[in-house]
Structures are given as structure tokens and as C-alpha cells.
Amino acid sequence: MRRTFDYLFSANHEPRVSFPARVREHSRFKFTTRKVRSSGMVIARGPWMLHGLTLLDGDPDIIAIAPFPIAIRYIAAASDEADTEWKDHIPDVAVLRRNGTVGFIDFMHDVDARRCTKLNRELGLSLEKDCGATYEIMWAGQILSQPRFYNRNLIHSNRPRWGEADLSAVERSILDQSLPATVANLSDAVPLNVLTERWEDQAPEAGHPCAGINVVASSILRLAYVGKIEFDMSRPFGPSTTVSRRV
């Protein structure tokens, strides 16, 4: 299975589910992320999968995502409960965690809980026994749980884009500071926490600071995305948030 997992999170992986162009345009959602190494994009099958992908992309512990990874064959109870049968299931995503473990995830609305409880139990047991991977269903209420969803949305929104440098000057300056420290203290300590703007034909010294932009806060969120720092996700991210190095 390790070879299969290596393929899932490689640039060569192709999703086992695809949608026609007309369907993609009218009833599906495009989600972009650097964690999908094959294409950088996922076609989400619905809003709960879209919200769940945002949650996963903003999770610093997850370093790679594979959409509609493979068809998993597992043993399930037959409809009459008197026997067992083989079934196939394609999860919404597979995830590779920073500690090297692999998990398979489906995103569901809470109204599907009764229908999917047996799937959660049977598929989870089969994966754990066969290859040591995990399986879970993320329900809508769990996905939208606050303030975790708010914090991970911030991390996702400030993620590094394709082609950006690994670490900017501001991010390197933050890592040079004495941590742990609050966002407010880091904003005061980092001299580069100023974004200026000017017209193209004006001299550089004519630039003036943009109001309402905290470069340090955005850089902290990007550092959290790449696993360099961490902060308490149980409280909303803000000036009083304490930032520490990730061990």
C-alpha cells in the first residue's frame, strides 16, 4: 500500500471521479490548493465538500490532498444482516499528514448521519486492518465548528501561491524574533510591517502606507500554513493571539 499512497500524493495522480464540463460549470465548485500536487485544483461535488476542503487546506498538519483517490474494497454486512459482502467506495479525498499517516475522508450533511453510520464503521475497520489508514466522515456541523473554521479559513486565504518564494523577508524577520510572542508585539517589533503604495510615475519615496493592512498578521498565517509556527486554534486569531515555533 505504501507504493499506492506515494502515487496518490504525487503529480501523476488522476481522480477516480470526473465531471463533464457542463456539470462542472453549473453544479460543482472549483477549489484551488497547493496541497493537490497533481493539478492544484479539486472539483468539489457540493458545498460541504468545498467547506471541508477549506478546513483541510488550512490545517497545518495536512501536507497533501488527493481528490477522489481510489476505489476501496471493503467487507460489509449484507442487506439482510445475515451475511457479508464486498463493496466498493471512492472517498472524497485522501490526506497525507505531517507525521506520515494517511486518512480517507468523506464530507456529508448532518441529515445523512443515520444512513452513513454503518459505512463509517465498516470502512474504518477495514482500512485500519488492511493498511493502517484511517477513515472518517466529516459532518456539516463538525466542519463549521467555530472558531476552528474561522481560523483555518484565514490560513487558507493567506496561503502561499504558486511561484511565490518559500519565505518572504517579513516571514524570515518573524522567525528571527523571540517566540512565543503575541501578534501585536510582533507587529511592533518587525520593521517591515508597512505596505506602501504609489502611482507608477511617482518616485519611490512618494509611497505612503496603506491603511488597514497588517503584513505581519498575513505572514504569520502563511508561516502556520507551511508548518513553521503555531497558535491556539481554540480562540479566534487576532492581535492578542500568542504565536510560538512549531516543534
Side-chain angles (χ1 to χ4, degrees):
M1 284 301 293
R2 178 50 56 184
R3 184 175 298 178
T4 300
F5 291 160
D6 291 342
Y7 166 72
L8 290 182
F9 303 109
S10 72
N12 299 319
H13 174 253
E14 295 184 3
R16 294 298 303 272
V17 176
S18 60
F19 303 101
R22 182 168 59 85
V23 174
R24 291 200 303 267
E25 291 175 2
H26 297 288
S27 59
R28 296 295 182 262
F29 304 87
K30 292 182 180 180
F31 181 86
T32 58
T33 170
R34 290 177 56 171
K35 293 183 179 181
V36 177
R37 296 169 178 171
S38 55
S39 63
M41 183 182 68
V42 181
I43 303 298
R45 60 175 174 78
W48 297 116
M49 183 174 178
L50 181 69
H51 295 323
L53 285 167
T54 303
L55 193 71
L56 297 182
D57 192 51
D59 186 347
D61 288 324
I62 293 177
I63 61 175
I65 300 172
F68 307 111
I70 54 174
I72 300 173
R73 174 157 289 191
Y74 66 102
I75 298 177
S79 55
D80 59 4
E81 301 290 340
D83 202 355
T84 58
E85 60 182 355
W86 288 101
K87 290 185 177 181
D88 291 330
H89 178 71
I90 301 177
D92 287 334
V93 297
V95 297
L96 176 64
R97 299 184 178 90
R98 199 171 293 276
N99 62 6
T101 60
V102 173
F104 295 89
I105 300 174
D106 279 315
F107 306 103
M108 300 284 185
H109 194 281
D110 291 347
V111 298
D112 298 322
R114 182 176 299 178
R115 177 174 63 87
C116 297
T117 299
K118 189 166 71 170
L119 170 68
N120 197 355
R121 181 180 66 254
E122 293 173 339
L123 190 52
L125 289 173
S126 180
L127 280 170
E128 183 179 5
K129 180 179 179 181
D130 292 343
C131 58
T134 61
Y135 173 77
E136 67 173 309
I137 296 176
M138 296 187 69
W139 307 106
Q142 177 187 0
I143 293 170
L144 298 179
S145 177
Q146 299 292 358
R148 183 184 63 168
F149 187 67
Y150 167 79
N151 288 329
R152 292 194 182 174
N153 259 281
L154 284 179
I155 294 175
H156 165 71
S157 299
N158 289 274
R159 68 195 185 281
R161 268 50 172 189
W162 292 109
E164 287 187 353
D166 290 338
L167 290 178
S168 68
V170 176
E171 291 160 8
R172 290 195 299 270
S173 182
I174 292 171
L175 294 176
D176 289 339
Q177 304 300 315
S178 178
L179 299 178
T182 65
V183 174
N185 290 338
L186 288 172
S187 298
D188 294 336
V190 175
L192 301 174
N193 189 26
V194 177
L195 186 66
T196 61
E197 62 180 354
R198 62 183 175 87
W199 294 106
E200 186 178 0
D201 58 352
Q202 289 181 317
E205 56 270 16
H208 58 276
C210 300
I213 296 180
N214 190 318
V215 179
V216 167
S218 296
S219 298
I220 288 172
L221 293 167
R222 284 195 294 275
L223 288 171
Y225 185 93
V226 299
K228 297 291 186 181
I229 59 96
E230 60 185 359
F231 58 88
D232 185 4
M233 289 281 186
S234 66
R235 301 181 60 185
F237 179 82
S240 62
T241 299
T242 298
V243 177
S244 57
R245 299 183 194 278
R246 190 181 182 91
V247 296

